[in-house]
Amino acid sequence: MDTFVTLAIKLLQGALIGLGSVLPGISGGVLSVVFGFYKPVMEFLADPRQKARTHLPKLLPYFAGAVIGFLGVANLLTYFLEKYPAPSICLFVGLIGGMLPSLWQEAGRKGRKINSLLATAAAMVFVFTFLSFLNAASLSITPGFFWYVFCGFALALSIIAPGMSFSALLMPLGLYAPFVDGIGHLDLSVVIPGVLGCILTILSMAKAVDSLLTKYYSLSFHAIFGFVTAATIMILPFESFTLSTRACLINVFWLAAGIFAATILDRAGLS
């Protein structure tokens, strides 16, 4: 009985991580820290060949739950993004924005020096410059194999770098909805490059990210804060606020709802 209960709890925690990985505003990486198995996951990902025998049996229920949680919410998110694009994005911006104070607090947990603030500023300037260039050049990203590999990279990065939101990276590029929709419908043209991107990222970066967060904790987390903050600002559909008073009030409501929900989740230890 105890074994069954333990397994059920691990599956539930894994499902919450899967949900957090796809739902804007909740970081799957942070959830893995909250549930106390971020370290064994990183140890396994950094050296899967050596750690498979000791770590994999314990981690399998979490991995299985994560897949269930991810797939279970993907189609629902896609529906709302297509049916109610502006209010949905405002809700997501609120969720992401509402967790920024917690991420800022986490970034300063081991001190905050001038270099840390410069890392935040540099990350924000990079994101603003890159996304503004795309907008100014009127470059339209057409989702395809390469971009879905990039989506897999962003998803894996959100797991191995706690606090990094893959939705905040993909939304400004217009990749979030098609990627989530493809995963939710098990579209192999999306799933295969997405999984490939995840695997390549984990194999090439898991050990480096683990080392970076260990040796340069403050710099790394402040840079993550800068990336997420700038990307969140760029996501906000400013033009939709000017369409009408009603549209503006609806967007403000869902923006506030997202911030409120993120605050509740933060107090519950889920963001």
Side-chain angles (χ1 to χ4, degrees), residues 3 22 41-42 67 161-162 169 171 211 248 250 262:
T3 303
V22 67
V41 167
M42 289 304 298
V67 171
L169 295 177
M171 274 188 175
S211 176
C248 180
I250 290 174

Side-chain angles (χ1 to χ4, degrees), residues 38-143:
Y38 174 76
K39 186 174 181 181
V41 167
M42 289 304 298
E43 289 174 349
F44 170 71
L45 294 179
D47 192 3
R49 184 174 299 179
Q50 295 293 327
K51 302 294 184 182
R53 181 174 296 179
T54 56
H55 287 53
L56 195 55
K58 299 176 183 178
L59 295 174
L60 273 177
Y62 295 117
F63 291 154
V67 171
I68 295 171
F70 191 103
L71 295 179
V73 75
N75 290 328
L76 185 63
L77 287 177
T78 303
Y79 170 80
F80 281 107
L81 280 170
E82 291 179 351
K83 191 78 173 177
Y84 311 102
S88 296
I89 292 174
C90 286
L91 173 63
F92 296 161
V93 168
L95 284 168
I96 299 171
M99 70 91 179
L100 286 178
S102 178
L103 183 57
W104 178 254
Q105 185 178 5
E106 179 66 27
R109 188 163 60 87
K110 293 187 179 182
R112 188 174 279 127
K113 299 180 180 179
I114 186 64
N115 287 346
S116 304
L117 300 179
L118 289 175
T120 297
M124 292 184 70
V125 168
F126 172 79
V127 172
F128 282 138
T129 302
F130 175 67
L131 295 178
S132 296
F133 169 76
L134 289 180
N135 292 333
S138 298
L139 295 177
S140 178
I141 291 178
T142 302

Side-chain angles (χ1 to χ4, degrees), residues 1-262:
M1 185 65 178
D2 289 341
T3 303
F4 175 78
V5 172
T6 301
L7 178 62
I9 291 174
K10 289 181 178 180
L11 283 170
L12 176 60
Q13 290 177 335
L16 288 172
I17 288 173
L19 177 66
S21 297
V22 67
L23 186 65
I26 308 175
S27 167
V30 170
L31 284 175
S32 67
V33 173
V34 170
F35 294 142
F37 63 93
Y38 174 76
K39 186 174 181 181
V41 167
M42 289 304 298
E43 289 174 349
F44 170 71
L45 294 179
D47 192 3
R49 184 174 299 179
Q50 295 293 327
K51 302 294 184 182
R53 181 174 296 179
T54 56
H55 287 53
L56 195 55
K58 299 176 183 178
L59 295 174
L60 273 177
Y62 295 117
F63 291 154
V67 171
I68 295 171
F70 191 103
L71 295 179
V73 75
N75 290 328
L76 185 63
L77 287 177
T78 303
Y79 170 80
F80 281 107
L81 280 170
E82 291 179 351
K83 191 78 173 177
Y84 311 102
S88 296
I89 292 174
C90 286
L91 173 63
F92 296 161
V93 168
L95 284 168
I96 299 171
M99 70 91 179
L100 286 178
S102 178
L103 183 57
W104 178 254
Q105 185 178 5
E106 179 66 27
R109 188 163 60 87
K110 293 187 179 182
R112 188 174 279 127
K113 299 180 180 179
I114 186 64
N115 287 346
S116 304
L117 300 179
L118 289 175
T120 297
M124 292 184 70
V125 168
F126 172 79
V127 172
F128 282 138
T129 302
F130 175 67
L131 295 178
S132 296
F133 169 76
L134 289 180
N135 292 333
S138 298
L139 295 177
S140 178
I141 291 178
T142 302
F145 185 87
F146 169 78
W147 284 112
Y148 288 134
V149 170
F150 174 76
C151 290
F153 157 79
L155 177 58
L157 192 62
S158 72
I159 297 297
I160 62 180
M164 179 67 78
S165 170
F166 101 102
S167 56
L169 295 177
L170 299 187
M171 274 188 175
L173 301 176
L175 293 171
Y176 179 79
F179 180 65
V180 170
D181 181 57
I183 295 295
H185 288 90
L186 296 179
D187 183 344
L188 293 183
S189 66
V190 177
V191 173
I192 291 175
V195 170
L196 178 62
C198 282
I199 293 174
L200 290 176
T201 303
I202 289 169
L203 291 178
S204 61
M205 296 185 65
K207 188 175 291 186
V209 169
D210 187 39
S211 176
L212 195 65
L213 290 173
T214 301
K215 295 179 180 178
Y216 305 103
Y217 181 92
S218 182
L219 281 174
S220 301
F221 262 96
H222 279 84
I224 289 173
F225 178 85
F227 277 119
V228 174
T229 301
T232 302
I233 293 172
M234 295 297 287
I235 292 170
L236 197 63
F238 292 101
E239 68 284 350
S240 67
F241 284 82
T242 63
L243 294 176
S244 67
T245 302
R246 180 175 180 273
C248 180
L249 291 175
I250 290 174
N251 289 344
V252 169
F253 171 81
W254 287 111
L255 189 65
I259 295 173
F260 176 76

